[in-house]
Amino acid sequence: MEAILKRYFGFSAFRPYQKEVIQAILRGKDCLVVTGTGSGKSLCYQVPPLVVGKTGIVVSPLISLMQDQVMALKQRGIKSEYLGSTQTDSTVQAKAESGQYNILFMTPEKACSLPLSFWSKLKKAGICLFAVDEAHCISEWGHNFRAEYELLDDFRDVLPGLPFVALTATAPEKVRSDIINYLKMKDPQVTIGSFDRTNLFYGVKFFKRPRLFMNELVLDISKYLASGGSTIVYCRTIKAVEQISKSLKEAGISAGIYHAQMDKESRAESHRLFIRDEVQVMVATVAFGMGIDKPNVRQVIHYGCPKSLESYYQESGRCGRDGIASVCWLYYTRSDFAKAELYCGESPTENKRTAIMESLMAAQRYCSIATCRRNFLLGYLGEKSQSEKCGNCDNCIDSKKEHDMSKEAFLLLACIQSCRGKWGLNMPVDILRGSRAKKMMRYDQFDKLPLYGLGREYSSNWWKALASQLISNGYLTENIRDFYRTIGISAKGEKFLNSARQDCQPPLVLPMTSEMTGENEDASALSESGKMDNLATLKSGLSEAEEKLFQLLLEERMKLARSARTAPYAICGDQTVQRIALTRPSTKARLANIDGVNQHLLKMHGDLILEAVKRLSQQVSLSLDGEYREPNKRRPLAPEKFEAWKMWHEHGLSVQKIANFPGRSAPIKETTVSGYIVDAAQEGYEIDWTKFCDEIGFTCQIFSDIQSAVTKVGSAEKLKPIKSELPEEINYAHIKTFLVMQSCGMSPKGLDKKTDKPRTGASSLCWNKWYMTVRTKLHCFMNEHIFSKITHLKNRRDYLNSRK
Ligand SMILES: Nc1ncnc2c1ncn2[C@@H]1O[C@H](COP(=O)(O)OP(=O)(O)OP(=O)(O)O)[C@@H](O)[C@H]1O
């Protein structure tokens, strides 16, 4: 089995679950495989046919997906074809039934329409498995139900005794049992793997205005274009697809588009150009969906919050399938969350409507949380994560500042309580904001509440963002009533309200999310893009020369792919090209040793690759036959540097505290500590650059001063001549920081734009005086009917005002 894996796929080892499943299939056992996107499920049905020399049948929902898989398998020397409405080669069916293919793909419709004679001939020639890919399509509970999948159980009778293999990346319990039942699986081996895609960075950006979305989007996309990576931008509407592709065009970026209203040919052409790296950006609706098997997508951006977290996981999972570090950004505005009624309208049953609402609420929560995004996503998919922080999402890298929000929280909770669980969040927020909408007067005379208008100081998005934090922290609960969401106070929220005393209020410390700090929209956008620059995890870990060689080799691969009329990734994956750039083999034997290099690649293109490696290595002054090291791996670090980095990065100590740490025999200079941390960053250790620069006072101005000094000196080899060109206050740690930031390709943008200042504190709010009174009275009457009590207070305020 291992020999087959190396020969056809070029891999040296199976992933842990793959071997188990393949062995079970070879024993004739039915298997259900549920593992994360891009985890290597396909190999489970690709290897057995090669081991036993019989055909494996694979049912797949999309023709484009089958075409891509056939293309990639052919490049590995595996005989493969597909049967479906777009197959133009009339000989395929006859060749298939005589067992000429190792792997034969077909749509469920095609499978059901093939004559029994086809199946009996093929059985005679030899079939070894019947695989159902994207098996969640079989279940109504799945997010991509396909009625034709339900007919596949007929094949139990047509192909008795054959192992059935169902594969999917998302299958909650209900879907799993549907798959087993519909496919009449007998005592199947169920393999449930991890959903964690560790190479993916997850991040969320909040924007108030679409114009800023657009600027940021263009910026994010251009960053990846330079390094040759592909980007998919998922939009919620066709209109947004058109707008974004127009904006990209205006910025000089050519992008393919894909949506359901395009004709079949245009869609196929768009898909082809993207798969073959002829366009690097695809702007699409989710119609550009399951069929995407392109392993080198480096960035997936969701322009608007998706309908559910399941679909977000699937769609973002099209990123970084080759295991290389890649990013998934989700951009949202508050209005994205107001679409529930629209989605529910498509659905006739109450159960389904509740399911839609719950999914949307989970997606909304994903946007709003201030804790680890990966943990939230995995938790939603039913997987427990190993640690509290993943270190590879925006919230882990750039933890939010925390503030005591007890006064604001008290007001909001009290106001929600006044609404008696009958309303969604809009009503209490409108009350606090003193809305003049008719509904205020029409219902329960909300405009007479003493809380009415007390929260004008904050925007309605701000209050909603606070509500999200209160939901995440268990003070508020959201409930679903048919098409609507209502908001209520939880027991914890009640306890908090009850704890209010006339003279003191227990603190309620909550993180300030970007929606709360980002009232100044420009600052929000810039700080986000600054953060983006600082995501050290996105670096390839290659030296400058190696990176150059990697890019040149990618260009060579592109030429090979064009002449072979195939996609570059089908020749070999980016990770394999990266390994070639790192090891620069001089002989075929060395090339063959590289993970990902299969026999077919060696035979067809081996000489060309070796020639290119020799020529291009010379061009970037790298010697041949280098030693392989894992890119992105941290390099060894002196113990004192590692200790300083650990204290700063992992334990959150300040540079000053580290310098004077009591455990030390004598204090060390703060600049020495900063220097240690920068050295660690240079050796591949992660650091939060924004936080670091802020702490050592490294500003845009200092960056540009050092830049000028380096230009003047003409070299960055020695620090002393650079230092002597600079004012006294710019120290060696600053210079080192500049040099490392430069070598990591980071810009100083965003350094001076920090929004650490909290929004105006509660003390300056116009309602502060009234807050004290309301709180005290609320406490006294908490167990009674709060609404009437607050009204009483309001009257009293009017009375007092009239006496002023
Ligand atoms: N044993 C292995 N060693 C190294 N790479 C592997 C191995 N198995 C699979 N891969 C690579 O992992 C990537 C993803 O594999 P694959 O397309 O089979 O994932 P999948 O689980 O079917 O994903 P999805 O659910 O999204 O369809 C591919 O680039 C594949 O070549």
Side-chain angles (χ1 to χ4, degrees):
M1 261 164 59
E2 272 77 6
I4 290 212
L5 183 71
K6 179 65 196 161
R7 178 167 163 209
Y8 290 100
F9 299 90
F11 303 138
S12 48
F14 284 102
R15 289 180 176 158
Y17 77 90
Q18 287 173 331
K19 199 164 176 174
E20 250 172 55
V21 176
I22 293 167
Q23 282 169 336
I25 296 173
L26 291 173
R27 288 199 307 273
K29 205 165 170 56
D30 287 346
C31 293
L32 168 62
V33 186
V34 187
T35 64
T37 52
S39 59
K41 287 183 287 297
S42 334
L43 216 80
C44 299
Y45 60 70
Q46 288 166 350
V47 170
L50 301 169
V51 174
V52 296
K54 294 180 181 176
T55 301
I57 302 293
V58 183
V59 175
S60 180
L62 284 178
I63 289 188
S64 57
L65 179 61
M66 296 191 288
Q67 285 170 329
D68 292 346
Q69 283 185 306
V70 167
M71 174 183 69
L73 288 171
K74 280 183 177 167
Q75 285 302 318
R76 292 179 158 151
I78 299 169
K79 286 181 236 142
S80 171
E81 259 311 340
Y82 79 94
L83 286 173
S85 58
T86 56
Q87 180 55 268
T88 48
D89 184 348
S90 56
T91 65
V92 171
Q93 192 163 324
K95 284 182 188 160
E97 64 186 14
S98 62
Q100 289 193 31
Y101 298 115
N102 301 118
I103 300 166
L104 180 65
F105 292 90
M106 56 186 75
T107 53
E109 298 86 336
K110 186 69 191 178
C112 296
S113 70
L114 284 166
L116 278 177
S117 59
F118 171 88
W119 293 107
S120 44
K121 280 182 195 160
L122 184 51
K123 263 193 295 185
K124 253 189 219 143
I127 312 183
C128 65
L129 60 86
F130 187 87
V132 181
D133 208 0
E134 310 290 352
H136 56 272
C137 296
I138 225 166
S139 168
E140 273 202 64
W141 291 101
H143 55 96
N144 263 315
F145 172 63
R146 296 273 301 258
E148 317 81 60
Y149 261 66
E150 282 185 329
L151 306 173
L152 293 175
D153 66 330
D154 287 351
F155 286 92
R156 275 293 178 196
D157 301 327
V158 179
L159 304 168
L162 202 68
F164 272 42
V165 188
L167 309 104
T168 173
T170 44
E173 191 60 51
K174 254 188 232 163
V175 179
R176 266 181 243 159
S177 57
D178 274 359
I179 296 173
I180 292 173
N181 291 335
Y182 282 128
L183 290 179
K184 296 182 187 152
M185 289 184 139
K186 286 169 238 139
D187 183 26
Q189 171 163 308
V190 180
T191 304
I192 308 205
S194 172
F195 294 97
D196 192 3
R197 300 280 310 280
T198 49
N199 64 317
L200 299 190
F201 165 89
Y202 293 103
V204 174
K205 298 184 185 187
F206 158 75
F207 281 90
K208 276 167 78 181
R209 305 231 163 92
R211 180 181 61 78
L212 279 151
F213 257 134
M214 217 58 96
N215 296 349
E216 185 79 356
L217 191 75
V218 171
L219 209 80
D220 279 354
I221 290 173
S222 6
K223 268 175 213 152
Y224 281 86
L225 286 182
S227 62
S230 306
T231 294
I232 303 176
V233 183
Y234 277 117
C235 304
R236 288 154 49 123
T237 61
I238 293 173
K239 197 171 153 214
V241 169
E242 283 159 357
Q243 271 172 352
I244 290 176
S245 71
K246 187 169 161 256
S247 295
L248 289 173
K249 208 171 267 168
E250 281 164 10
I253 300 169
S254 77
I257 61 166
Y258 194 105
H259 56 73
Q261 276 175 17
M262 286 161 68
D263 59 52
K264 234 179 175 178
E265 289 73 37
S266 315
R267 268 185 293 165
E269 179 61 2
S270 233
H271 177 259
R272 197 187 68 82
L273 290 175
F274 183 66
I275 286 297
R276 299 197 173 192
D277 285 344
E278 300 291 347
V279 288
Q280 278 178 270
V281 184
M282 175 63 87
V283 188
T285 59
V286 290
F288 188 63
M290 269 186 297
I292 297 310
D293 198 24
K294 189 177 190 310
N296 57 346
V297 175
R298 289 285 151 261
Q299 179 170 230
V300 169
I301 298 176
H302 276 75
Y303 185 76
C305 178
K307 276 184 187 180
S308 73
L309 264 193
E310 287 96 333
S311 43
Y312 182 65
Y313 177 75
Q314 283 278 341
E315 287 148 23
S316 59
R318 285 167 200 141
C319 195
R321 290 163 63 86
D322 53 10
I324 292 182
S326 307
V327 294
C328 312
W329 280 113
L330 194 167
Y331 293 11
Y332 78 100
T333 59
R334 273 272 146 193
S335 58
D336 292 347
F337 307 143
K339 304 277 188 327
E341 292 83 3
L342 203 76
Y343 301 148
C344 287
E346 296 160 9
S347 174
T349 67
E350 181 154 357
N351 270 351
K352 195 81 189 159
R353 281 201 294 274
T354 308
I356 291 172
M357 289 292 276
E358 276 174 0
S359 298
L360 184 71
M361 273 156 61
Q364 175 173 349
R365 238 166 265 161
Y366 174 81
C367 293
S368 315
I369 51 165
T371 49
C372 176
R373 302 232 192 248
R374 183 184 311 276
N375 281 1
F376 186 85
L377 194 56
L378 290 178
Y380 184 78
L381 298 170
E383 186 173 329
K384 215 175 142 24
S385 18
Q386 308 290 330
S387 66
E388 236 176 74
K389 285 183 158 204
C390 73
N392 197 18
C393 72
D394 57 347
N395 284 346
C396 284
I397 285 185
D398 188 63
S399 48
K400 305 276 178 285
K401 296 222 154 39
E402 293 189 329
H403 288 284
D404 177 17
M405 308 292 286
S406 50
K407 291 180 178 177
E408 293 86 344
F410 181 90
L411 264 197
L412 184 59
L413 289 169
C415 195
I416 288 170
Q417 198 165 43
S418 309
C419 295
R420 285 169 283 167
K422 281 200 307 194
W423 297 92
L425 188 57
N426 284 335
M427 184 59 97
V429 168
D430 285 348
I431 295 172
L432 286 178
R433 302 242 326 120
S435 158
R436 295 193 171 276
K438 277 198 189 118
K439 64 179 181 182
M440 290 289 121
M441 292 119 228
R442 200 170 344 128
Y443 302 106
D444 297 343
Q445 293 194 306
F446 282 142
D447 60 322
K448 302 284 185 305
L449 276 172
L451 297 160
Y452 178 75
L454 292 190
R456 269 199 195 98
E457 195 83 1
Y458 291 113
S459 70
S460 86
N461 279 350
W462 190 95
W463 284 110
K464 286 175 186 170
L466 174 65
S468 299
Q469 290 314 306
L470 291 168
I471 293 169
S472 298
N473 287 279
Y475 293 89
L476 288 174
T477 54
E478 270 194 303
N479 306 303
I480 300 167
R481 215 191 294 152
D482 201 21
F483 277 36
Y484 302 100
R485 279 186 270 185
T486 57
I487 190 123
I489 312 272
S490 67
K492 191 175 173 186
E494 295 248 11
K495 204 169 152 203
F496 173 76
L497 277 176
N498 285 331
S499 69
R501 295 277 173 276
Q502 187 163 4
D503 47 348
C504 75
Q505 166 84 58
L508 179 55
V509 178
L510 292 173
M512 300 286 284
T513 59
S514 56
E515 272 189 273
M516 296 161 100
T517 54
E519 291 282 292
N520 169 351
E521 58 183 39
D522 288 331
S524 156
L526 279 170
S527 68
E528 291 296 347
S529 66
K531 251 186 264 164
M532 174 75 185
D533 283 342
N534 298 340
L535 299 176
T537 40
L538 300 181
K539 288 184 290 164
S540 65
L542 270 56
S543 71
E544 212 178 300
E546 287 164 347
E547 181 64 39
K548 216 179 228 172
L549 179 62
F550 174 50
Q551 293 303 329
L552 291 168
L553 287 171
L554 287 180
E555 283 169 25
E556 290 297 316
R557 184 185 64 169
M558 184 74 181
K559 285 184 209 156
L560 273 181
R562 279 189 185 140
S563 65
R565 291 167 179 271
T566 190
Y569 75 79
I571 299 280
C572 66
D574 286 18
Q575 214 164 28
T576 308
V577 181
Q578 210 175 58
R579 288 188 183 115
I580 296 176
L582 280 165
T583 48
R584 306 174 293 282
S586 63
T587 63
K588 266 200 180 171
R590 281 178 183 269
L591 179 63
N593 258 341
I594 293 174
D595 212 34
V597 175
N598 57 53
Q599 280 295 316
H600 191 76
L601 177 71
L602 211 60
K603 195 167 136 207
M604 301 301 290
H605 312 294
D607 292 327
L608 270 174
I609 295 174
L610 289 176
E611 181 279 319
V613 168
K614 195 172 164 193
R615 176 170 41 88
L616 300 172
S617 299
Q618 221 164 24
Q619 198 175 314
V620 297
S621 312
L622 281 173
S623 60
L624 291 181
D625 298 327
E627 210 176 288
Y628 180 71
R629 61 160 211 282
E630 276 293 327
N632 255 342
K633 270 262 162 83
R634 296 165 175 176
R635 290 175 282 273
L637 197 65
E640 66 279 11
K641 295 182 179 177
F642 178 73
E643 190 182 87
W645 170 83
K646 200 172 154 99
M647 283 174 159
W648 188 83
H649 179 78
E650 289 186 355
H651 303 163
L653 296 187
S654 67
V655 169
Q656 192 215 358
K657 279 215 173 111
I658 299 169
N660 300 296
F661 196 67
R664 262 185 231 297
S665 49
I668 52 173
K669 281 189 190 162
E670 285 179 35
T671 50
T672 309
V673 176
S674 316
Y676 285 170
I677 297 170
V678 179
D679 286 344
Q682 187 160 32
E683 297 309 323
Y685 287 71
E686 290 152 35
I687 76 162
D688 175 345
W689 283 101
T690 314
K691 185 175 158 229
F692 182 71
C693 293
D694 188 39
E695 208 174 322
I696 64 163
F698 189 86
T699 58
C700 276
Q701 185 56 52
I702 294 183
F703 190 98
S704 73
D705 286 351
I706 302 176
Q707 199 155 36
S708 316
V710 172
T711 315
K712 200 164 170 197
V713 171
S715 150
E717 288 266 300
K718 291 200 172 110
L719 304 192
K720 206 168 173 194
I722 303 172
K723 174 85 179 78
S724 57
E725 289 295 329
L726 291 162
E728 191 62 18
E729 63 273 17
I730 299 184
N731 57 40
Y732 281 107
H734 288 139
I735 303 173
K736 268 189 173 179
T737 304
F738 166 85
L739 293 173
V740 176
M741 281 180 82
Q742 275 231 317
S743 76
C744 298
M746 273 176 245
S747 83
K749 189 158 41 69
L751 291 183
D752 300 340
K753 303 276 183 188
K754 285 205 69 183
T755 50
D756 1 358
K757 294 239 164 10
R759 276 269 308 162
T760 330
S763 57
S764 71
L765 294 178
C766 62
W767 45 262
N768 198 31
K769 192 168 79 187
W770 280 101
Y771 157 76
M772 290 301 289
T773 326
V774 171
R775 198 187 65 181
T776 314
K777 295 293 176 185
L778 275 178
H779 170 67
C780 301
F781 301 115
M782 199 54 76
N783 295 330
E784 295 180 32
H785 198 219
I786 291 176
F787 183 72
S788 60
K789 303 300 165 201
I790 295 177
T791 311
H792 165 74
L793 275 169
K794 160 89 171 153
N795 295 339
R796 184 158 163 71
R797 180 176 74 168
D798 292 344
Y799 165 72
L800 286 174
N801 276 345
S802 68
R803 289 191 7 145
K804 269 187 194 163

